[in-house]
Amino acid sequence: MELAKDCLDIGIFTNNLDAMRAFYGERIKLPYEEMLPVGGGVRQYRYGMLGSVLKINHSRDALPARVLGGYSRLIIAHGDATSCTSMTDPDGNQLELAPSGHNGIHQVGLHLGVTSEADFDHFYGVVLQAEKLGPKRYRIGKTVLSFEKDSSARRSDRSASQSPAEVMMSMRGTGIRYFTIQVRDCSATFAHTMANGAWEGSRPVTLGEVARICFIRDPDGNWIEISQRASLTGPLPKD
């Protein structure tokens, strides 16, 4: 997997826009970048996060409540932090501000609660070709991913019969719902992940002249966006 950007972006869904923007923009002091309408009644408010982008996706429609397990904690190496500070945002997402270098995180970390540590070792090490830092810890670019078995984590039903539109709608829910990997070749990355056991979320599609994207899912059904942005890679292939 050839990265086009050395940091992962983090996607949150919310119905609580004003409070979430105040928390991340005013309290955490992440710099606001822009708002993008992404369709389906969702507007995405983007905040810079040490090379990553925090994507606050505000849904016009009511979202399901947060669920336990999955993407459970966001860690930011914060310039003002002299010790680790645990916080909870207005939607109940867990956040930790940490001094740079704490637990090997110099930029951003994302922690998951999972049903099977062995399955996630295979997923991050083989499917995503991430660099292994130690037990249950991997890095993609500068962003650190960690996981541990969590009794509250649940595995989504991979055999459920749903239309493509229903599958994509299932990604929406309150909380941290996905991360984005920016790559040089979306189609090749999707093919590699599928060949090594990833769960298909949606197949690659080109969005005008902006990006070619697809989604995959990890062993528990958590979502990952694979994106090839023209601003990073040049002209995009046509469908």
Side-chain angles (χ1 to χ4, degrees), residues 1-5 180-190 212 214 225-229 232-233:
M1 179 169 60
E2 185 180 3
L3 299 179
K5 172 180 157 180
T180 302
I181 310 173
Q182 297 289 350
V183 300
R184 291 285 175 189
D185 190 327
C186 175
S187 295
T189 304
F190 179 77
R212 184 168 176 81
C214 65
E225 180 185 26
I226 298 170
S227 171
Q228 177 183 344
R229 291 190 70 83
L232 297 172
T233 66

Side-chain angles (χ1 to χ4, degrees), residues 38-53:
V38 296
V42 175
R43 290 184 172 183
Q44 184 179 97
Y45 295 79
R46 297 165 67 93
Y47 289 81
M49 192 167 59
L50 301 174
S52 294
V53 176

Side-chain angles (χ1 to χ4, degrees), residues 114-127 138 147 155 158 196-197 218-220:
V114 304
T115 60
S116 168
E117 293 174 355
D119 287 351
F120 275 78
D121 264 321
H122 172 83
F123 183 79
Y124 284 123
V126 177
V127 178
Y138 289 83
F147 56 85
R155 183 160 293 200
R158 193 166 182 169
N196 285 278
D218 69 22
D220 283 350

Side-chain angles (χ1 to χ4, degrees), residues 53-222:
V53 176
L54 179 67
K55 304 174 180 180
I56 299 178
N57 296 282
H58 176 242
S59 174
R60 175 186 61 203
D61 300 325
L63 295 167
R66 284 185 72 255
V67 296
L68 298 177
Y71 300 125
S72 61
R73 186 168 74 252
L74 175 63
I75 306 102
I76 303 175
H78 201 276
D80 295 336
T82 57
S83 60
C84 294
T85 302
S86 295
M87 311 172 77
T88 304
D89 76 16
D91 279 350
N93 302 302
Q94 299 300 305
L95 174 69
E96 183 178 310
L97 302 183
S100 181
H102 179 74
N103 281 340
I105 297 173
H106 296 273
Q107 190 249 352
V108 169
L110 185 61
H111 184 76
L112 293 83
V114 304
T115 60
S116 168
E117 293 174 355
D119 287 351
F120 275 78
D121 264 321
H122 172 83
F123 183 79
Y124 284 123
V126 177
V127 178
L128 293 186
Q129 300 175 299
E131 175 191 0
K132 187 164 187 175
L133 301 178
K136 299 177 286 187
R137 292 177 63 79
Y138 289 83
R139 182 166 56 206
I140 298 176
K142 296 177 180 177
T143 306
V144 174
L145 297 156
S146 60
F147 56 85
E148 62 184 341
K149 187 172 177 58
D150 183 346
S151 60
S152 64
R154 296 291 180 267
R155 183 160 293 200
S156 297
D157 183 2
R158 193 166 182 169
S159 66
S161 178
Q162 293 179 304
S163 70
E166 289 172 329
V167 169
M168 289 304 298
M169 286 300 293
S170 72
M171 180 176 68
R172 298 188 183 186
T174 304
I176 304 172
R177 299 296 292 171
Y178 66 99
F179 65 79
T180 302
I181 310 173
Q182 297 289 350
V183 300
R184 291 285 175 189
D185 190 327
C186 175
S187 295
T189 304
F190 179 77
H192 167 83
T193 61
M194 291 296 101
N196 285 278
W199 178 0
E200 180 180 317
S202 68
R203 300 183 63 80
V205 61
T206 298
L207 306 176
E209 298 181 354
V210 177
R212 184 168 176 81
I213 68 168
C214 65
F215 284 89
I216 63 171
R217 302 176 73 176
D218 69 22
D220 283 350
N222 303 304

